[in-house]
């Protein structure tokens, strides 16, 4: 029996990937999360719980979904020398091979955390370095390292000089400043991914998702928060900063499609953008959601809130050419899904 590991499997991207893997493979999926931020699987898995013992819970009729509630670093340390033997004994399943490793465990937290507690975010360096060490020793079939658009030099994302960020704008030989400790961590992770591929022969790809969003995202992120407030017809409508700052919003289903394709086709530790290739300001986002809600509010800018860089969006030409991939879900369709969920959750 083969198994895949998803660290941070109860976070936004992780839980969507766990569900996707469960429906598209017959292998065992072991997902590890300390639930510091992630949601308990009872909240988002529709499969029934089939057993629980200590911090290990299995789900699904065939018990192929296995949740370990723990710090990923503890699990990596415990399984470092012989993961097949470790997980076989721990879970009482005869595993024959280690499949893919999706590494989503991280301290992310949104703009308030990135600017407000940068040293907490820097703990990602500790999580990532143990992850890379484990990967170098155990060489899974295929590895995903989620970097971020925050790895790009911030001087390319200002009010006056913003450009559509291309993969080649990060060049380790000629570097600009990434965005805070979060961006530095991700850039370090990209560098280690290259090393892992070149020196240890592991198949690994980095993704730089721009602003991933979806129906089941935490309210600390702007898209679901704005949708919820529009659903409740907030007026005046608060926006952080002037609202003219923009991001490249991409639906989680598109992020997963592109990620899985990239894992099949890119193995040298290099990075790809995942976005729509389109800048949408927060004012436009408010416009879309309040249009769905059928009203036009007065905008109330909150100028003391952190807003990050002014304009962050990507150039998707390389992905189109290299992977033949383009996003399928338009901003309006994706935001409609988020809005409908917000109405279900907060209004009905
Ligand atoms: N969501 C996006 O649009 C986006 C964009 C760029 C990059 N990323 C990257 O993708 C990854 C996942 O992001 P997300 O949006 O799902 O974040 P998230 O905060 O929703 O998920 C991270 C998960 O990791 C868990 N976690 C944190 N520390 C842990 C530890 N030591 N051990 C075990 N679990 C731990 C948290 O409980 C949480 O469930 C991150 O690396 C993030 O930087 C996401």
């Amino acid at each position: 029996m083969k198994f895949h590991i998803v660290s941070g499997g109860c976070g936004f991207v992780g839980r969507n990937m766990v569900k996707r893997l469960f429906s598209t493979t017959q292998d065992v999926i072991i997902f590890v999360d300390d639930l510091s931020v992630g949601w308990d699987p009872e909240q988002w898995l529709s499969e029934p719980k089939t057993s629980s013992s200590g911090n290990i819970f299995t789900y699904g009729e065939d018990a192929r979904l296995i949740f370990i509630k723990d710090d990923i670093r503890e699990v990596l340390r415990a399984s470092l020398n012989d993961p097949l033997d470790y997980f076989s004994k721990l879970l009482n399943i005869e595993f024959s091979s280690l499949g893919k490793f999706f590494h989503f465990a991280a301290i992310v937290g949104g703009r308030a955390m990135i600017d407000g507690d940068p040293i907490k975010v820097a703990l990602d360096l500790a999580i990532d370095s143990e992850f890379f060490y484990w990967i170098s020793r155990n060489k899974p079939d295929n590895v995903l390292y989620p970097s971020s658009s925050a790895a790009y030099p911030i001087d390319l994302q200002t009010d006056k000089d913003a450009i559509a960020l291309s993969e080649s704008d990060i060049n380790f030989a000629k570097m600009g400043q990434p965005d805070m400790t979060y961006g530095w961590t991700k850039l370090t992770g990209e560098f280690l991914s290259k090393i892992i591929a070149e020196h240890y022969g592991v198949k690994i790809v980095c993704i730089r998702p721009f602003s991933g969003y979806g129906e089941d995202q935490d309210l600390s992120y702007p898209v679901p928060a704005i949708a919820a407030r529009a659903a409740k017809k907030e007026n005046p409508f608060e926006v952080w900063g002037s609202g003219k700052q923009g991001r490249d919003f991409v639906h989680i289903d598109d992020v997963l499609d592109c990620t899985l394709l990239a894992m099949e086709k890119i193995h040298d530790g290099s990075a790809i953008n995942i976005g729509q290739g389109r800048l949408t300001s927060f004012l436009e986002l408010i416009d879309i959601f309040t249009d769905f809600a059928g009203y036009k509010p007065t905008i109330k800018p909150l100028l003391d809130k952190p807003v990050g860089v002014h304009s962050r969006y990507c150039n998707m030409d390389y992905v189109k050419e290299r992977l033949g991939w383009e996003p399928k879900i338009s901003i309006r369709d994706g935001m409609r899904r988020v809005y409908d969920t917000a109405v279900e959750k907060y209004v009905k």
Side-chain angles (χ1 to χ4, degrees), residues 101-338:
F101 198 134
F102 301 81
H103 178 52
F104 297 115
I107 297 164
V108 186
R111 184 47 55 185
M113 170 94 89
I114 289 171
D115 283 345
D117 199 353
I119 292 301
K120 183 169 181 190
V121 177
L123 283 173
D124 283 340
L125 290 164
I127 299 173
D128 285 358
S129 53
E130 297 218 32
F131 159 74
F132 282 110
Y133 184 56
W134 193 96
I135 293 298
S136 73
R137 294 312 183 254
N138 294 303
K139 300 184 172 35
D141 269 1
N142 212 312
V143 180
L144 174 74
Y145 179 73
S147 177
S148 166
S149 50
Y152 277 108
I154 49 176
D155 61 310
L156 303 177
Q157 304 169 57
T158 59
D159 189 1
K160 295 193 176 56
D161 298 324
I163 57 165
L165 298 161
S166 297
E167 284 81 353
S168 55
D169 289 319
I170 289 184
N171 174 346
F172 287 116
K174 279 201 279 168
M175 284 302 310
Q177 287 272 340
D179 189 355
M180 293 297 288
T181 53
Y182 181 61
W184 276 107
T185 305
K186 295 301 180 182
L187 200 58
T188 307
E190 289 196 19
F191 187 67
L192 296 180
S193 297
K194 279 277 185 195
I195 300 278
I196 280 285
E198 283 164 21
H199 292 247
Y200 299 87
V202 174
K203 293 179 186 163
I204 183 165
V205 62
C206 300
I207 52 165
R208 294 178 193 146
F210 277 62
S211 293
Y213 72 92
E215 296 85 298
D216 65 336
Q217 196 171 24
D218 198 278
L219 277 185
S220 60
Y221 285 85
V223 169
I226 292 173
R229 290 192 279 123
K232 291 186 216 156
K233 292 205 163 48
E234 177 178 286
N235 197 2
F237 208 103
E238 293 185 347
V239 62
W240 286 20
S242 66
K244 289 182 186 155
Q245 70 277 14
R247 294 292 180 269
D248 192 333
F249 297 102
V250 56
H251 192 273
I252 185 68
D253 287 351
D254 276 333
V255 174
L256 297 188
D257 287 350
C258 187
T259 299
L260 292 165
L261 188 62
M263 288 177 83
E264 268 175 39
K265 298 203 172 172
I266 301 175
H267 299 144
D268 64 354
S270 59
I272 55 151
N273 288 337
I274 308 184
Q276 293 257 345
R278 182 184 150 183
L279 193 61
T280 302
S281 73
F282 286 90
L283 291 178
E284 284 175 82
L285 208 56
I286 291 170
D287 220 39
I288 292 172
F289 283 127
T290 51
D291 184 38
F292 292 152
Y295 76 113
K296 198 136 190 76
T298 307
I299 301 296
K300 182 178 169 198
L302 301 178
L303 297 175
D304 57 336
K305 295 284 186 191
V307 292
V309 290
H310 190 272
S311 298
R312 176 178 285 164
Y313 70 113
C314 65
N315 179 336
M316 287 297 287
D317 290 353
Y318 176 72
V319 169
K320 193 173 173 192
E321 186 190 315
R322 176 87 203 262
L323 302 179
W325 185 87
E326 287 181 277
K328 292 184 197 68
I329 303 169
S330 71
I331 289 282
R332 224 180 148 79
D333 289 354
M335 296 303 168
R336 182 84 227 183
R337 294 189 197 181
V338 177

Side-chain angles (χ1 to χ4, degrees), residues 11-13 33-34 36-38 71-72 104-106 147 182 186 209-210 212:
F12 172 56
V13 186
D33 201 300
D34 61 4
S36 50
V37 169
D71 188 317
I72 185 63
F104 297 115
S147 177
Y182 181 61
K186 295 301 180 182
F210 277 62

